[in-house]
Amino acid sequence: MANYPFQFDPGSPFIQQASDWIADVFYELLPEAGFEVRDEQIYMAFQLERAYNEKKTIFAEAGVGTGKTLVYLLYAICYARYTRKPAIIACADESLIEQLVKPEGDIAKLARHLNLTIDARLGKSPDQYICLNKLDDVRVNGEEAEPFGTIYDELPKFVHRPDTMQSFHPYGNRKDYPELSDEQWNHIGWDVFQDCLVCSQRHRCGQTLSREHYRKAADLIICSHDFYMEHVWTYDARKREGQLPLLPEHSSVVFDEGHLLETAAQNALTYKLKHSLFESIVTRLLDGEVRESLAYAIEDAISASEALFELLRLSSVQVQDSNRKEVVLSDKLLREITRFSGLLAVIEEELVFESGLHTIDDYQLKIVEEHLEMIQLALSLFKQPEMLISWVTEEREGVTLVIMPRKVKEILADKVFGRKMPVVFSSATLSVDGSFDYIARSLGISDYQSFTVASPYDYEAQMHAVLYPESAESTVNKTASVLQRLSKSEGGSLILFPSFEQLNRFRAEAAMLPEAAQYRFLYEGSAEISHLISQFQNDEGSVLCAVTLWEGLDIPGPSLSHVIVWSLPFPPHDPVFDAKRKDADDPFLDVEMPHMLLRMRQGIGRLIRTREDRGIVTIFGQQLNRQEVAEQIERFLPSTVERMAPC
């Protein structure tokens, strides 16, 4: 029997009763606990009542300080108990998840002040867990064996020997190893090229065990956008393979920082092909007694794969400020793709005959067939290059070909927004010039509700803003200028960069300047992100340099009293955004400006988190010399914004 936080009358509509109780929460219960009554919060609650009652998609644009998280959590929990299915809270990234579930976060506040027992469980992405196979390899064969050997020794005992677990025991989470840099974590963290289905350690894997745990959540499952989209795209394939979907059936979905969902959708609907993975999978077929014709077909395909990936390496061009290389299509490359696809078709035909002879294990056969089908689907996109976005990345382990459909909105419209289910987009930045058309079009949403609630904070009094237009011919050391600006707040600053390449450039230059020594710099990528955020919050004189913290970072008080924007966050010139530019009538107005303005509003929003906060926003950028750009940015800055002469 569901445990409702109010006296439920089966003869009356549930959503109306839930809404009445939620109104009491904001008008009476929370104010009695010391919270202020916020008109914006109550207005949002009544708007969400419509969406839940009609099972619609709603864009809930609510400014900083409106308390939007408490509103959607209360509706999600009540509706989950009514339907007997958990709600999904999908956050833009792992740092946002940590903000939500931390001991002093909003879930804990509701539980404490409303005397609620809330069953909220984390569904973290696979790449947030140790891969036991990669750990085994790097601790034996890696150049830096010492930290990984210690990690291995400290794993739970049941990982090393066949003990029976008496209860769920979480382990192997990225957050458990805060001191590891992102580069070190990549040596042991799960990646897309791990074949978990046939892994001998999968039933003792931290990722697998956590999945079994969060599926049983009664109220909330909290995951990332990426993980939710991965669930959507793999749902049918996992069913075919006899596996459970990544997430259980759920009652509603909240996309926190929902303006970032399109990127997550594209990332999930991405095929990643690698020669070494292909070779390791198809050679499994040779473990048994197979016909000679199949063995020759496999050998030919492996040879063709090796040639194709070498040609891709030679046929790609580095993209500036990105780890991606753009694929330059040529007749020779297309012929190699066609030849490889043809050889895969030969293997698929051979497997039809081989399956009748039962010489190959059925489970292994299914895995190979699924992998070959995936490769064929990916390569088929090259027959319609106008529907294709592709690039390559190159690491020590070799070249990876990444293939992405140009548009994902048709699939989203069918598999996510076509369902009769409440879907809430929550963010301070969902509209452009008051319209939600930009985000709705990009996600394929035709039928939606929407509202906007402004922040209650007095930005005119609480924020001072300075614009620094940059000249293309400038000889001024920009890093030195930023260090000079840091003196205005004596540290306590967040520097936001559009890319890791620019962050690393600043890091190298700052290390050469003596004036940088007076500050403690914390660089994203040098340790686990929530660990860095905690260090920053507890050291008022520190400076946090980040690429992914334009959204979600919530640090009130003097620890964050200065936001510095290194350069305007226009989208990069990579294959994904170049494809959008090609589709637009006016790429600058239709793609670049909306993206930059949404990102900029989010970044500036990191500064003022309470009525008592005071701080500075400093914005650098060459595009500030363009009047139409500067005017758009000044629209969401205090009227007293200070414009410096071009430097």
Side-chain angles (χ1 to χ4, degrees):
M1 185 68 180
N3 180 22
Y4 301 122
F6 53 86
Q7 189 66 40
F8 174 57
D9 177 7
S12 300
F14 175 81
I15 292 299
Q16 180 61 57
Q17 295 180 69
S19 183
D20 289 344
W21 174 73
I22 291 170
D24 289 340
V25 168
F26 292 126
Y27 277 122
E28 298 177 9
L29 300 181
L30 288 182
E32 287 175 3
F35 289 73
E36 64 177 295
V37 177
R38 298 178 181 176
D39 292 337
E40 300 89 355
Q41 199 173 43
I42 294 166
Y43 176 77
M44 178 178 176
F46 285 117
Q47 295 299 314
L48 288 196
E49 178 189 353
R50 287 194 304 136
Y52 273 85
N53 190 47
E54 300 173 23
K55 300 178 183 177
K56 289 284 188 70
T57 294
I58 185 167
F59 292 120
E61 184 177 58
V64 177
T66 53
K68 54 184 174 291
T69 307
L70 295 180
V71 180
Y72 72 60
L73 283 174
L74 288 172
Y75 273 100
I77 292 168
C78 289
Y79 198 63
R81 296 184 180 187
Y82 176 64
T83 60
R84 310 296 199 273
K85 298 176 184 176
I88 305 295
I89 310 296
C91 301
D93 57 35
E94 301 297 332
S95 63
L96 283 164
I97 291 175
E98 296 298 336
Q99 293 280 348
L100 193 61
V101 302
K102 62 186 179 182
E104 67 277 16
D106 287 330
I107 293 176
K109 288 178 184 176
L110 288 178
R112 182 168 64 254
H113 296 299
L114 301 181
N115 196 27
L116 280 177
T117 300
I118 301 173
D119 184 8
R121 308 190 186 189
L122 294 183
K124 291 215 164 191
S125 300
D127 61 8
Q128 294 296 302
Y129 288 94
I130 285 175
C131 170
L132 295 176
N133 289 330
K134 288 178 70 174
L135 178 59
D136 284 341
D137 179 61
V138 75
R139 72 186 179 88
V140 175
N141 303 316
E143 297 176 1
E144 301 179 66
E146 183 179 345
F148 305 117
T150 303
I151 290 171
Y152 176 83
D153 293 337
E154 293 177 351
L155 292 176
K157 292 180 180 179
F158 66 79
V159 179
H160 302 308
R161 61 175 187 261
D163 292 344
T164 301
M165 283 192 305
Q166 301 301 315
S167 61
F168 171 68
H169 184 85
Y171 82 92
N173 189 322
R174 172 71 174 103
K175 195 169 183 288
D176 298 335
Y177 307 98
E179 302 295 343
L180 290 184
S181 69
D182 286 356
E183 183 179 0
Q184 289 174 312
W185 176 257
N186 288 338
H187 287 305
I188 61 172
W190 181 91
D191 62 60
V192 71
F193 298 111
Q194 303 308 308
D195 193 358
C196 299
L197 291 176
V198 294
C199 176
S200 61
Q201 305 192 75
R202 69 185 303 268
H203 295 297
R204 299 188 178 279
C205 169
Q207 177 195 157
T208 305
L209 295 175
S210 70
R211 194 169 294 164
E212 294 172 358
H213 175 69
Y214 72 66
R215 280 199 182 103
K216 299 173 184 176
D219 294 324
L220 304 173
I221 298 175
I222 302 156
C223 65
S224 66
H225 289 180
D226 287 341
F227 193 55
Y228 187 82
M229 287 297 117
E230 187 74 16
H231 159 74
V232 171
W233 304 140
T234 61
Y235 184 90
D236 293 334
R238 291 181 69 87
K239 288 265 191 174
R240 285 198 306 269
E241 294 166 357
Q243 300 183 83
L244 290 172
L246 292 177
L247 293 167
E249 291 298 314
H250 40 278
S251 54
S252 64
V253 183
V254 176
F255 293 114
D256 200 345
E257 303 298 356
H259 62 288
L260 298 175
L261 184 65
E262 183 188 14
T263 301
Q266 287 180 314
N267 290 339
L269 192 60
T270 294
Y271 303 99
K272 293 186 178 181
L273 310 183
K274 200 171 190 175
H275 168 69
S276 58
L277 178 64
F278 168 72
E279 183 175 15
S280 69
I281 287 180
V282 295
T283 51
R284 292 176 186 165
L285 298 173
L286 302 178
D287 291 342
E289 294 292 331
V290 298
R291 292 173 302 117
E292 191 175 81
S293 56
L294 174 58
Y296 280 128
I298 292 171
E299 186 177 319
D300 290 343
I302 290 174
S303 177
S305 171
E306 193 169 19
L308 173 59
F309 278 87
E310 175 60 17
L311 184 57
L312 282 166
R313 187 183 69 81
L314 298 173
S315 304
S316 54
V317 178
Q318 187 70 49
V319 176
Q320 185 178 1
D321 285 339
S322 173
N323 64 345
R324 299 171 174 177
K325 299 175 74 175
E326 185 176 4
V327 177
V328 180
L329 289 178
S330 64
D331 290 341
K332 182 179 181 181
L333 180 57
L334 291 173
R335 284 196 300 271
E336 281 297 315
I337 290 170
T338 302
R339 183 169 80 92
F340 181 49
S341 178
L343 291 170
L344 295 182
V346 172
I347 295 177
E348 290 174 315
E349 291 173 5
E350 291 287 343
L351 290 178
V352 174
F353 292 104
E354 203 71 41
S355 62
L357 300 175
H358 303 289
T359 56
I360 303 174
D361 176 76
D362 287 343
Y363 188 67
Q364 289 280 5
L365 183 61
K366 182 184 290 188
I367 298 302
V368 175
E369 287 176 335
E370 285 280 350
H371 192 73
L372 294 180
E373 181 183 356
M374 180 272 291
I375 296 176
Q376 291 285 44
L377 284 171
L379 295 180
S380 68
L381 290 173
F382 280 96
K383 297 176 182 177
Q384 298 176 289
E386 71 280 357
M387 301 299 294
L388 167 75
I389 303 172
S390 65
W391 66 88
V392 301
T393 59
E394 189 173 357
E395 297 90 17
R396 288 184 300 177
E397 297 80 14
V399 169
T400 299
L401 172 62
V402 185
I403 301 172
M404 176 190 292
R406 186 180 292 267
K407 295 181 180 178
V408 299
K409 60 184 181 182
E410 292 82 2
I411 303 170
L412 283 171
D414 176 44
K415 294 186 176 291
V416 180
F417 306 114
R419 299 178 60 191
K420 194 70 174 174
M421 177 178 68
V423 177
V424 179
F425 283 81
S426 174
S427 176
T429 56
L430 291 170
S431 66
V432 178
D433 290 334
S435 171
F436 295 89
D437 289 348
Y438 174 75
I439 186 172
R441 282 198 308 267
S442 66
L443 294 171
I445 302 173
S446 57
D447 182 18
Y448 63 87
Q449 300 171 358
S450 65
F451 69 90
T452 298
V453 178
S455 171
Y457 298 149
D458 184 358
Y459 289 105
E460 289 287 329
Q462 294 179 253
M463 178 190 296
H464 176 65
V466 182
L467 302 185
Y468 273 83
E470 294 178 76
S471 169
E473 299 80 25
S474 174
T475 58
V476 175
N477 186 320
K478 183 175 178 180
T479 298
S481 298
V482 168
L483 293 175
Q484 186 178 30
R485 289 298 299 172
L486 289 177
S487 65
K488 300 294 183 181
S489 53
E490 299 180 345
S493 302
L494 170 69
I495 308 180
L496 292 170
F497 295 85
S499 69
F500 278 102
E501 287 75 16
Q502 294 186 50
L503 181 149
N504 290 330
R505 200 174 305 143
F506 169 83
R507 184 176 186 176
E509 292 177 0
M512 304 293 291
L513 297 175
E515 55 265 42
Q518 62 184 300
Y519 303 109
R520 180 191 181 194
F521 287 94
L522 302 168
Y523 292 97
E524 182 176 359
S526 63
E528 192 268 333
I529 189 65
S530 64
H531 177 66
L532 286 176
I533 292 171
S534 178
Q535 287 185 307
F536 175 60
Q537 187 166 13
N538 293 320
D539 182 355
E540 292 185 9
S542 62
V543 178
L544 179 58
C545 302
V547 174
T548 66
L549 295 179
W550 295 77
E551 296 89 6
L553 185 66
D554 185 13
I555 299 181
S559 291
L560 206 176
S561 56
H562 194 173
V563 171
I564 298 176
V565 176
W566 175 260
S567 64
L568 302 189
F570 282 101
H573 284 281
D574 65 16
V576 176
F577 281 101
D578 282 348
K580 284 190 171 189
R581 291 180 179 99
K582 290 175 184 176
D583 288 341
D585 294 331
D586 187 328
F588 186 75
L589 292 179
D590 297 342
V591 176
E592 299 195 11
M593 280 292 286
H595 176 90
M596 184 275 291
L597 292 172
L598 285 176
R599 197 89 164 135
M600 182 65 78
R601 287 168 61 195
Q602 281 288 340
I604 292 171
R606 299 314 96 212
L607 182 65
I608 306 299
R609 309 302 297 179
T610 70
R611 295 186 191 277
E612 290 72 38
D613 282 351
R614 299 290 186 274
I616 307 167
V617 170
T618 300
I619 302 172
F620 291 85
Q622 287 187 15
Q623 295 280 18
L624 289 172
N625 289 299
R626 297 179 60 166
Q627 183 177 353
E628 67 273 29
V629 173
E631 287 178 352
Q632 287 284 350
I633 291 174
E634 288 178 8
R635 289 176 61 181
F636 46 82
L637 292 174
S639 59
T640 55
V641 62
E642 184 179 355
R643 289 198 66 174
M644 308 300 289
C647 56

